[in-house]
Amino acid sequence: MRTAGLAAAAGLVAAGCGQASAATVTSTATVAAVTALARPAVPALAWKPCDKGFYCATARVPLNYSDPRGAQLSIAVISSRATGPGPSLGWLFFNGGGPNPQVSTMSRVYPNLPAAWRERYNVITFDPRGEGYSTQVQCYPTEAAEGKVIGGLPAFPVGAAQETAYYQAYAKLAAQCTSTAGPLLYHDSTADIARDMNLLRKAVGDPVLNYYGQSYGTLLGATYANLFPSTTGRMILDGNLNPVAWSTGDSQVPAFARLGSAQPVMNDFLALCGQAPVKGCAFSAGTPAATTAKWDTLLRLAGQHPINLGAQLGGTYTYADVVSSVDLGSVSQWQSSAVLLEQLWTVAHGGKVTAPPVSSSGPAPSSPVPSYYTGREQHLAIECADAPNPGNLAAYTAAAAENTLAPTSVWDSVGCATWPAAAAQDRYTGPWNRPTASTILLLANTGDPNTTYRDSVAMSHELARARLLTVDGYGHTTGNNPSTCAIDDAVNYTLTGALPAPGTVCQQNGTPFPAS
């Protein structure tokens, strides 16, 4: 009805364009009224104090942006206020990746953001639709019920029997979601989330979106920048996905496998460990070649028999557990990962260990326990909406065989193999090069195991206006593996708009394995 009315009104305007008749004025007003009805309403944010110093609100947004005045969803929002004495620069939106809930971790993440951002910006984030305190995708009544289907699966399957069981378990999850998740399952893409973010930008009254996104947050930022290029402000994307490979790459290769492999970073882990003394890397065998051979032997032994460290030290490690045990994403954890590998090596050769691995950065801070459903389908709903994936088991088996040290990323996509095709109806597939109001700053570690440096280079070429700042170092995102040089450039950009010089390369603060 609204479309027909708009077409009729437009026809009246065209017919009367020769003079400013009363009919023309009336029809112009009709067009304006119908157009206004077709736009989503800007949500009103009723901020309330929450979480010891923050402010929380709930925004109402359209379920389906093709029907903006139809069914609505709730989006949970949390913010801080600029702490500095001077004038605020407005709002800085933040997404730490995943796609994961953001509200419940804000109190932990916020203190680690640069002081200048906290002083000059109101920092804001929100739980993406489908997750956290926002309206959820939920396929089972409880997490325990979902756990009966996928809860006992290994980190990744090894062998044909496990691969078949893995595939069938996720096929059962997909069938359950198709039956019970409801209409949100079909409007849960990153493009939908970007449109939600644009409404939130309007709700806080900022003319442009200033934004810092990590990992998945880079895809969200790039999607926003191409849907709303004229309102893209100072945007930093850290640890970038390749948006073309992700959204329109070879559908017979799992999405994460299209983004590259962690194998080169694991090779560097072993080489650097082998160059360091045992004091610097507990798993060192004296040379890179000997340390790599030691790793290969450990994997072979774990494949023959699981290695039991005892309950205090993490229990039994299968082959999949050993492969997954090295935290390549955090350089600060490389030394403790090496300690764990040495303990596994000792026990696999009949020895005993008594002390737990010692983290080089101290115990990880505890995260708040969320009071909401956290099923696996919430992550899959966004991933499967955004990226094509193969439907046959053989494609995952083949991709895993080519990614022997990063099979988890391959099998992370198997949940999309039988996901309902209609869930992709809001998928954004480009263009990715729409000219934005501001140049986007990209940050990338050369040794990022999750979103490879190659992906960040690709992002820099795909975006119409982008500047790549390279960090010579390891780990997933510069935000989680700091470089003072990169942080200074990022802060300067957000405060002044000034970009680092083309080709800038910064050094990382941390050292994976100290030489002494």
Side-chain angles (χ1 to χ4, degrees), residues 272-338:
L272 292 171
C273 179
Q275 292 170 8
V278 172
K279 183 179 179 181
C281 180
F283 193 64
S284 177
T287 67
T291 305
T292 300
K294 184 177 178 180
W295 164 254
D296 293 339
T297 300
L298 178 62
L299 291 182
R300 179 175 55 79
L301 293 173
Q304 293 171 350
H305 300 287
I307 303 170
N308 187 0
L309 295 185
Q312 184 182 1
L313 301 181
T316 300
Y317 284 73
T318 64
Y319 172 89
D321 295 326
V322 175
V323 171
S324 306
S325 67
V326 180
D327 185 358
L328 294 174
S330 299
V331 171
S332 64
Q333 298 302 309
W334 280 27
Q335 290 184 59
S336 59
S337 292

Side-chain angles (χ1 to χ4, degrees), residues 342-439:
E342 183 62 21
Q343 291 177 331
L344 290 166
W345 176 265
T346 299
V347 172
H349 286 81
K352 294 183 178 180
V353 293
T354 57
V358 178
S359 171
S360 59
S361 60
S366 59
S367 299
V369 178
S371 56
Y372 48 73
Y373 181 87
T374 57
R376 169 70 175 153
E377 68 268 28
Q378 295 177 349
H379 185 104
L380 289 172
I382 299 172
E383 177 189 334
C384 301
D386 282 352
N389 279 282
N392 57 309
L393 173 60
Y396 296 89
T397 299
E402 295 179 3
N403 292 268
T404 56
L405 291 184
T408 303
S409 62
V410 172
W411 292 99
D412 272 348
S413 300
V414 78
C416 299
T418 57
W419 205 256
Q425 63 186 279
D426 293 345
R427 175 183 298 165
Y428 184 77
T429 58
W432 298 99
N433 61 350
R434 298 186 69 189
T436 48
S438 300
T439 300

Side-chain angles (χ1 to χ4, degrees), residues 104-166:
S104 63
T105 58
M106 176 67 155
S107 60
R108 178 169 55 87
V109 171
Y110 177 75
N112 296 321
L113 297 177
W117 291 356
R118 291 180 275 123
E119 292 168 1
R120 299 298 303 279
Y121 281 98
N122 305 319
V123 179
I124 182 171
T125 191
F126 62 98
D127 283 344
R129 57 171 57 205
E131 299 186 317
Y133 294 113
S134 295
T135 300
Q136 293 196 320
V137 169
Q138 183 170 346
C139 303
Y140 290 88
T142 64
E143 292 165 17
E146 183 185 68
K148 292 179 181 179
V149 178
I150 62 171
L153 297 176
F156 60 86
V158 178
Q162 284 191 8
E163 289 171 352
T164 299
Y166 211 90

